[in-house]
Amino acid sequence: MSVPDVARVPRLMLVTDRLRSSLPLADLARSAVAGGVDLVQVREKDLAVDDLRRIVASIVEAVGDPARVSVNGDVGLAKGLGTGVHLPEEGAAVRQARQLLGSTVLIGRSVHSPESARQSEGADYLIAGHVFATASKPDRPPIGLEGLRRIVEAAPCPVLAIGGITATNAGSVIGAGAYGAAVVSAINGAVDPAEAACAIRRQLPGNKEFTVDATATKIEVTINGKAVGMDAGTTVQHFLESKGYQDRLVVVELNEAILPRASYPSTMLSTGDRVEIVHFVGGG
């Protein structure tokens, strides 16, 4: 019987959902890791493989370490990019994934019952849920804290709770025996993902004084040929206002394409963006 290396099991996982995210996924991941997320699971099941590969690669670049990233379901993509893999309950067997990826790659699996947990030998961690009611699964009743407790007792490795996890209830899943938490809505939908992650992380064992790593929430953008640092999540509109520009008196070119003025408030800047601003002097 293999023994999981608990030291590498995440306490706090972000599970991505680009349709709910307040930021591009690479910026979301960077901000969430700054707030205490140990592992970013990329779960974008509707994407074509090439699109998914690009997103995962951008997240790996954003967080700076493929070991902090896991791909949902696609063992081959995980092997190609050097990330971990998270297996759906009805997906590939843990044994098959381990044979392909080797002993050092982080492998997780979703489970919804004690029986499924018992069949997960070889995984580094399990994700059990959904524990609390969640809008993403309105037709399925939550397993509750008692259901989580039964899965923890049956599991051969640490268990992370998922489903409706917030800073308010994270402590209760730890009380039920969970090792940590996997979070979707509370971080994806947050205006400040770093602060949202930090608030949850503080409820996990040994992290009462956890703080946001402010340096990791910064991005660097080239503005008119000069490198400029700014906060992740900054929109074109916010940047113009911070520099005293009136948007009706400027033309903005983003990565060599003219940006429509109506897009200024919704277009978030990312590390590596190249921006040219032409400012016209008002008068009359």
Side-chain angles (χ1 to χ4, degrees), residues 6 31 35 63 67 85 101 164 194 206 214 236 240 276 279:
V6 176
S31 181
V63 303
V85 70
L101 298 177
V236 171
L240 293 175
E276 294 291 330
H279 181 225

Side-chain angles (χ1 to χ4, degrees), residues 230-248:
M230 61 187 70
D231 293 332
T234 297
T235 64
V236 171
Q237 184 76 41
H238 288 155
F239 178 77
L240 293 175
E241 291 175 352
S242 72
K243 298 302 181 183
Y245 290 120
Q246 299 181 49
D247 57 9
R248 64 184 178 83

Side-chain angles (χ1 to χ4, degrees), residues 41 43 45 71-75 85-94 107-112 116 120 127:
Q41 182 197 145
R43 188 175 70 182
K45 296 183 179 181
V71 178
N72 183 284
D74 195 324
V75 179
V85 70
H86 185 81
L87 304 174
E89 191 171 45
E90 303 302 324
V94 174
I107 297 177
R109 183 173 186 251
S110 291
V111 298
H112 300 90
S116 185
S120 301
I127 291 183

Side-chain angles (χ1 to χ4, degrees), residues 18 109 181 198 226 228 230 269 271 282:
R18 73 188 190 286
R109 183 173 186 251
C198 187
K226 296 179 62 176
V228 177
M230 61 187 70
L269 296 169
T271 290

Side-chain angles (χ1 to χ4, degrees), residues 12-270:
L12 179 59
M13 176 191 293
L14 165 66
V15 180
T16 70
D17 183 343
R18 73 188 190 286
L19 300 182
R20 300 189 213 179
S21 176
S22 60
L23 298 173
L25 289 186
D27 292 336
L28 171 75
R30 182 187 298 107
S31 181
V33 168
V37 161
D38 303 304
L39 186 69
V40 179
Q41 182 197 145
V42 186
R43 188 175 70 182
E44 305 294 333
K45 296 183 179 181
D46 61 321
L47 288 179
V49 173
D50 287 344
D51 293 332
L52 180 60
R53 181 181 292 106
R54 282 191 289 271
I55 283 181
V56 175
S58 73
I59 291 174
V60 169
E61 182 179 4
V63 303
D65 182 358
R68 287 185 177 234
V69 181
S70 182
V71 178
N72 183 284
D74 195 324
V75 179
L77 181 57
K79 182 174 179 61
L81 294 177
T83 70
V85 70
H86 185 81
L87 304 174
E89 191 171 45
E90 303 302 324
V94 174
R95 176 179 53 81
Q96 294 172 330
R98 184 65 71 195
Q99 287 175 343
L100 180 64
L101 298 177
S103 61
T104 61
V105 172
L106 196 69
I107 297 177
R109 183 173 186 251
S110 291
V111 298
H112 300 90
S113 68
E115 292 74 21
S116 185
R118 294 188 189 98
Q119 296 167 7
S120 301
E121 176 65 35
D124 292 294
Y125 68 87
L126 303 179
I127 291 183
H130 58 287
V131 177
F132 303 110
T134 173
S136 64
K137 291 183 172 61
D139 300 326
R140 292 176 56 183
I143 64 172
L145 292 174
E146 184 55 35
L148 172 63
R149 187 175 291 109
R150 289 197 295 268
I151 289 174
V152 169
E153 290 172 353
C157 54
V159 175
L160 277 65
I162 194 170
I165 306 295
T166 67
T168 302
N169 60 30
S172 66
V173 301
I174 300 302
Y179 183 81
V183 180
V184 186
S185 298
I187 297 178
N188 278 276
V191 174
D192 188 336
E195 286 295 345
C198 187
I200 297 170
R201 185 73 190 232
R202 290 192 190 109
Q203 305 309 311
L204 305 181
N207 292 290
K208 294 301 182 185
E209 304 302 322
F210 203 91
T211 59
V212 175
D213 179 2
T215 61
T217 65
K218 301 295 183 181
I219 61 174
E220 186 172 283
V221 178
T222 301
I223 308 287
N224 290 351
K226 296 179 62 176
V228 177
M230 61 187 70
D231 293 332
T234 297
T235 64
V236 171
Q237 184 76 41
H238 288 155
F239 178 77
L240 293 175
E241 291 175 352
S242 72
K243 298 302 181 183
Y245 290 120
Q246 299 181 49
D247 57 9
R248 64 184 178 83
L249 297 178
V250 299
V251 172
V252 176
E253 184 180 276
L254 176 60
N255 298 326
E256 301 182 355
I258 299 296
L259 186 68
R261 188 168 286 110
S263 298
Y264 292 179
S266 60
T267 301
M268 294 182 184
L269 296 169
S270 301

